[in-house]
Amino acid sequence: METEVKEAQGKIISAENPDIVAPADWQPVIMGILCNWCSYAGSDLTGTSRIQYPPNIRIIRVPCSSRVDPWFIIKSLQTTADGVLISGCHPGDCHYISGNYFARRRFLVTKKLLNFVGYHENRVQFSWVSAAEGPKFAKVVAKVTEDIKKLGPLHRYKKENF
Amino acid sequence: MDHSKQIQDIASKLFAENKIDYFVGYRQNAIDDSQVPYLISDPAEIPRLVFTDRSVFNLANYLKPEHTRRKRVGLVVKGCDSRALNLMLTESQVKRENVYIIGICCEGVLNEKGEKAQNCIECVMPDAVVYDEMIGTPTGKREYIVNADIKELATIALEKRADYFEDIFSNCIRCNACRHSCPLCYCAKCCIDQETSTLYHGANTSSGAMHALMTWSLHLAGRCVDCRNCEKACPSHLPLHLLHKQNESVIYENFQQHLAGMEKDDRGAFYKYSLSDPDDFIL
Ligand code: SF4
Ligand code: SF4
Ligand code: SF4
């Protein structure tokens, strides 16, 4: 289901809608939904360790990655976000013992369904980042930002007023 | 497949022995050869009960309304309907002792065009999985087939698929008939319903419809039994099975070949997990 990402003459073309082009210096907005116990603490560590990461991410804190109902993702994509990153504890490290195992199942199905109705599969990404992995968090955000920059602005299914 | 006589006999017996308060079956529609669900409390109405290959609806949905919830109900279920009923029992929506289930070994029902319906061609379990009394000869479980429409859509380019779905979602009038006709959508305060919603504001736009229908299908992922009651209820004829079958095929492939409602006390795919679930899509 992979589609080719097109770039033409210093412009970025939207992966889902080739009619939409953005200037080469266009910056995506990425919604980051992080679990309180691992990834949010991890992102905090990235900051306190003075590690640079792209400022495109806007972070929301949730108690657990399994708190993420698929509609959070859809609503983000329909309003401002061009991409979504969801991050939780590594398998086995969940503060609530098994929340991330349940979340993992849901994420796979959500990701496939979004791709099925016409979102590029890189629009929504997931990661496991522990509270000690500051450098990993910076790397993940850099990778996701890079991926979404390539995909261009998202114009599908946008809500006009929200 | 015409089981009208047997069903009438069983219904009269149940009323005579005072085992039920209501009986839910089908009756002939007055205007054409289709049928409609028929809920009776009076034995005098029994002769109007029928069951043929036009009995398309999922009657488990009639255990949801307030007036049948705590009553003793007799009902007719086909294979797919019985899987939905099985899940309702597992999820404590229905008490087993309150229902008298007439299970049918289904030979497939017809769509509006008079052909065998797609979900019947692809059916994995035509025999009722939970019943008090069985009608017909069981043929057993069949092999899972990935839905033909899903396979076809997966081959077309992403932009084309997005155009196609945008078109589909723009036809939705947000009536919520799909959610009300699904036996497994019983939440009193549904998050997509315009009137009761706390989270979602059901504006009648294609993005609003997309938000609602995607959320709805993900709430049913791992629980949907492919009875297509939702699709039959939709006044705009949206192909809602595309969303459900897509989820079902991902779940079947990745989560130990899970199919909803097949076993007693087997919960939906999202209510359990395995340590070996796929992890390769996570950074
Ligand atoms: S869509 Fe979700 S919230 Fe609404 S009734 Fe169905 S399961 Fe409940
Ligand atoms: S979503 Fe539709 S096909 Fe699935 S169980 Fe509900 S009514 Fe049946
Ligand atoms: S029944 Fe059809 S038109 Fe009504 S809300 Fe559902 S999909 Fe939309």
Side-chain angles (χ1 to χ4, degrees):
Chain A
M1 285 197 202
E2 183 70 54
T3 40
E4 243 174 79
V5 176
K6 304 180 198 97
E7 272 176 89
Q9 287 127 31
K11 297 255 172 77
I12 302 171
I13 296 177
S14 173
E16 290 90 352
N17 193 351
D19 302 335
I20 305 285
V21 283
D25 60 354
W26 167 81
Q27 291 292 332
V29 175
I30 297 165
M31 179 70 77
I33 307 180
L34 311 185
C35 102
N36 182 35
W37 304 99
C38 292
S39 297
Y40 192 83
S43 75
D44 212 17
L45 182 67
T46 322
T48 47
S49 322
R50 302 271 182 272
I51 303 171
Q52 285 277 337
Y53 64 88
N56 304 62
I57 190 162
R58 315 285 195 270
I59 293 174
I60 290 177
R61 177 163 61 162
V62 288
C64 176
S65 46
S66 65
R67 170 66 184 92
V68 181
D69 189 303
W71 79 260
F72 296 3
I73 304 172
I74 299 166
K75 183 127 188 181
S76 309
L77 293 171
Q78 285 195 333
T79 50
T80 7
D82 298 296
V84 179
L85 168 67
I86 293 165
S87 190
C89 310
H90 284 274
D93 290 353
C94 180
H95 185 77
Y96 308 100
I97 299 166
S98 54
N100 54 0
Y101 291 122
F102 290 105
R104 180 165 70 176
R105 284 200 156 188
R106 226 179 292 149
F107 292 157
L108 178 67
V109 178
T110 308
K111 191 177 165 87
K112 297 265 187 195
L113 184 66
L114 283 168
N115 184 232
F116 184 66
V117 301
Y119 287 100
H120 193 280
E121 56 191 8
N122 283 353
R123 290 270 182 212
V124 182
Q125 303 207 29
F126 305 93
S127 66
W128 302 138
V129 173
S130 81
E133 291 179 325
K136 179 176 175 185
F137 183 76
K139 264 193 222 136
V140 166
V141 177
K143 180 195 176 296
V144 173
T145 310
E146 209 38 57
D147 282 350
I148 291 169
K149 265 190 191 157
K150 277 196 214 132
L151 297 179
L154 177 62
H155 276 255
R156 287 278 176 194
Y157 305 113
K158 281 286 184 197
K159 277 198 172 133
E160 270 112 50
N161 309 306
F162 53 84
Chain B
M1 181 163 72
D2 187 348
H3 300 310
S4 312
K5 185 78 190 57
Q6 282 140 296
I7 287 169
Q8 289 171 8
D9 290 347
I10 296 170
S12 350
K13 188 187 79 194
L14 291 174
F15 275 118
E17 291 169 9
N18 191 22
K19 278 200 180 147
I20 53 171
D21 303 314
Y22 289 102
F23 189 86
V24 195
Y26 303 87
R27 74 166 164 79
Q28 199 60 49
N29 196 347
I31 45 171
D32 55 17
D33 58 0
S34 66
Q35 294 175 8
V36 286
Y38 193 37
L39 189 138
I40 57 176
S41 55
D42 180 3
E45 293 172 281
I46 287 173
R48 293 185 76 185
L49 288 171
V50 291
F51 188 95
T52 64
D53 51 11
R54 290 272 177 183
S55 308
V56 292
F57 299 102
N58 187 343
L59 301 182
N61 193 36
Y62 293 88
L63 299 174
K64 260 170 33 178
E66 208 39 58
H67 58 283
T68 50
R69 266 207 155 187
R70 281 166 200 85
K71 293 280 166 42
R72 297 167 301 156
V73 183
L75 81 167
V76 187
V77 291
K78 305 184 288 298
C80 50
D81 312 346
S82 74
R83 285 169 59 197
L85 183 52
N86 213 357
L87 260 176
M88 290 175 89
L89 290 164
T90 308
E91 295 174 357
S92 309
Q93 293 306 306
V94 181
K95 280 208 178 103
R96 184 65 184 88
E97 62 269 24
N98 278 357
V99 279
Y100 190 93
I101 308 164
I102 304 174
I104 306 275
C105 296
C106 181
E107 291 160 29
V109 293
L110 307 179
N111 60 16
E112 305 97 87
K113 296 197 201 96
E115 302 149 354
K116 194 169 182 182
Q118 192 194 40
N119 56 334
C120 299
I121 297 170
E122 292 169 357
C123 182
V124 285
M125 191 62 196
D127 317 328
V129 289
V130 50
Y131 53 85
D132 290 299
E133 202 154 338
M134 180 93 122
I135 298 179
T137 339
T139 50
K141 197 174 168 207
R142 300 197 204 137
E143 207 172 317
Y144 180 77
I145 321 171
V146 178
N147 181 268
D149 302 338
I150 302 296
K151 267 197 249 163
E152 197 189 315
L153 274 171
T155 59
I156 69 173
L158 187 72
E159 299 114 68
K160 293 268 153 39
R161 214 160 57 222
D163 285 340
Y164 176 74
F165 275 101
E166 213 154 30
D167 216 35
I168 287 179
F169 289 128
S170 70
N171 286 338
C172 172
I173 57 168
R174 297 302 314 117
C175 62
N176 280 314
C178 46
R179 163 258 192 280
H180 286 284
S181 62
C182 176
L184 300 169
C185 259
Y186 45 69
C187 308
K189 227 173 177 9
C190 167
C191 77
I192 68 157
D193 198 310
Q194 302 180 31
E195 284 154 27
T196 60
S197 164
T198 48
L199 309 173
Y200 161 80
H201 303 292
N204 186 7
T205 58
S206 59
S207 55
M210 186 265 186
H211 187 182
L213 294 175
M214 294 277 285
T215 309
W216 171 68
S217 80
L218 285 161
H219 282 193
L220 287 158
R223 295 165 67 234
C224 170
V225 298
D226 197 28
C227 62
R228 306 218 182 162
N229 220 30
C230 48
E231 207 169 273
K232 282 161 212 148
C234 177
S236 313
H237 302 289
L238 266 73
L240 296 169
H241 72 276
L242 294 178
L243 303 176
H244 298 307
K245 288 304 261 184
Q246 161 67 18
N247 293 337
E248 190 186 77
S249 70
V250 173
I251 288 170
Y252 185 82
E253 208 179 297
N254 293 295
F255 307 144
Q256 298 91 35
Q257 314 198 322
H258 179 273
L259 287 168
M262 296 290 270
E263 322 277 334
K264 189 172 181 285
D265 296 332
D266 183 22
R267 310 201 73 191
F270 288 170
Y271 293 84
K272 51 190 176 186
Y273 62 88
S274 149
L275 296 182
S276 58
D277 284 338
D279 212 331
D280 47 359
F281 67 101
I282 300 178
L283 300 172

